[in-house]
């Protein structure tokens, strides 16, 4: 007579193995999510700190206060007069300040590719693009002022030409010097850059499911979409 093989012990053993395997996988996934979450928070903190330094850097670069030893790293133009050299030096001050803070811009830019890996290009592109655009605007204003300031003592053929010259010069000075115009053309763009990056980083550092924050985020994206059209 054939012996009956007990079934339930094997069934229970099999179930135990399956449960253990599932628990292991769930634990691994939970650990993985936790580690990724930690890395995201750390990256968000570093990014926010880097952009705070960029915000401060723009204010320092555009400061109307300057010293006689600033702008001396400019390469002299052969045959230039002392007056032209001085005007060129003054215009070069902002560019020299940018060069002296290049490490801050590079540090912020280096975080861009890490952020892209976690959040995607579309989400993080705007504040980084704005940072580079603002830096370019200040450099462009400095280059225009080098020419405009040297034209100040020249005669213009018509009153219209002189008026256009003043408009170009004052427009460049508004970008070059902080608060030299009302409203300041650069400050709102810096504020918008900081609002973009702060919203992204804060949602990672301090996640919230508050409905008001959710609607605020959707409204911000809706407004940005229509302003860009």
């Amino acid at each position: 007579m054939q012996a009956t093989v007990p079934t339930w012990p094997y069934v229970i053993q099999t179930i135990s193995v399956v449960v253990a395997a599932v628990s292991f996988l769930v634990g691994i996934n939970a650990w993985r999510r936790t580690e990724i979450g930690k890395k995201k928070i750390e990256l968000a903190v570093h990014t926010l700190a880097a952009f705070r330094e960029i915000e401060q850097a723009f204010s320092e670069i555009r400061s109307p206060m300057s010293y006689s030893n600033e702008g001396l790293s400019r390469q002299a133009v052969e045959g230039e007069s002392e007056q032209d050299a001085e005007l060129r030096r003054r215009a070069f001050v902002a560019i020299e300040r940018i060069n002296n803070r290049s490490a801050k811009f590079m540090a912020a830019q280096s975080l861009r590719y890490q952020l892209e890996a976690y959040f995607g290009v579309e989400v993080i592109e705007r504040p980084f693009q704005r940072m580079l655009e603002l830096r370019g605007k200040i450099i462009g204003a400095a280059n225009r002022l080098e020419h405009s300031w040297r034209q100040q003592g020249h005669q213009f053929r018509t009153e219209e030409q002189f008026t256009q010259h003043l408009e170009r010069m004052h427009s460049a000075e508004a970008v070059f010097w902080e608060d030299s115009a009302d409203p300041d053309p650069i400050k709102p763009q810096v504020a918008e850059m900081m609002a973009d990056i702060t919203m992204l980083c804060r949602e990672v550092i301090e996640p919230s499911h508050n409905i008001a924050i959710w609607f605020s985020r959707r409204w911000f994206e809706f407004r940005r979409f229509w302003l860009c059209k």
Side-chain angles (χ1 to χ4, degrees), residues 149-192:
W149 284 343
R150 288 188 295 112
Q151 279 190 314
Q152 273 295 84
H154 296 179
Q155 293 292 327
F156 292 86
R157 293 181 180 180
T158 65
E159 187 69 24
E160 183 181 2
Q161 287 181 340
F162 179 64
T163 301
Q164 290 174 349
H165 158 73
L166 289 179
E167 288 176 352
R168 288 192 299 269
M169 185 177 71
H170 292 157
S171 176
E173 287 175 345
V175 173
F176 189 81
W177 285 318
E178 188 174 63
D179 292 327
S180 64
D182 188 18
D184 188 300
I186 297 298
K187 273 187 171 181
Q189 297 180 59
V190 173
E192 189 172 351

Side-chain angles (χ1 to χ4, degrees), residues 108-224:
Q109 190 67 13
S110 69
L111 295 169
R112 175 174 185 165
Y113 305 107
Q114 298 178 58
L115 288 166
E116 286 180 3
Y118 284 117
F119 306 107
V121 177
E122 297 79 7
V123 176
I124 62 92
E125 183 177 14
R126 184 179 172 89
F128 285 92
Q129 187 64 31
R130 180 57 58 86
M131 175 185 70
L132 297 178
E133 288 175 356
L134 289 171
R135 185 177 64 177
K137 285 181 179 181
I138 296 171
I139 293 173
N143 290 330
R144 289 195 300 274
L145 285 175
E146 178 189 335
H147 178 68
S148 294
W149 284 343
R150 288 188 295 112
Q151 279 190 314
Q152 273 295 84
H154 296 179
Q155 293 292 327
F156 292 86
R157 293 181 180 180
T158 65
E159 187 69 24
E160 183 181 2
Q161 287 181 340
F162 179 64
T163 301
Q164 290 174 349
H165 158 73
L166 289 179
E167 288 176 352
R168 288 192 299 269
M169 185 177 71
H170 292 157
S171 176
E173 287 175 345
V175 173
F176 189 81
W177 285 318
E178 188 174 63
D179 292 327
S180 64
D182 188 18
D184 188 300
I186 297 298
K187 273 187 171 181
Q189 297 180 59
V190 173
E192 189 172 351
M193 175 193 72
M194 292 306 302
D196 286 344
I197 202 68
T198 299
M199 181 172 288
L200 171 65
C201 293
R202 284 295 178 191
E203 286 188 357
V204 176
I205 299 169
E206 300 173 356
S208 173
H209 298 289
N210 188 291
I211 191 66
I213 294 179
W214 187 88
F215 274 113
S216 174
R217 176 69 174 180
R218 302 290 82 76
W219 168 248
F220 177 81
E221 291 177 350
F222 174 80
R223 182 173 63 87
R224 186 173 66 181

Side-chain angles (χ1 to χ4, degrees), residues 70-71 73 93-105:
E70 287 190 288
S73 61
V93 166
I95 297 177
E96 185 178 81
R97 289 173 178 176
I98 288 174
N99 293 339
N100 290 341
R101 291 160 180 78
S102 60
K104 293 184 178 182
F105 287 98

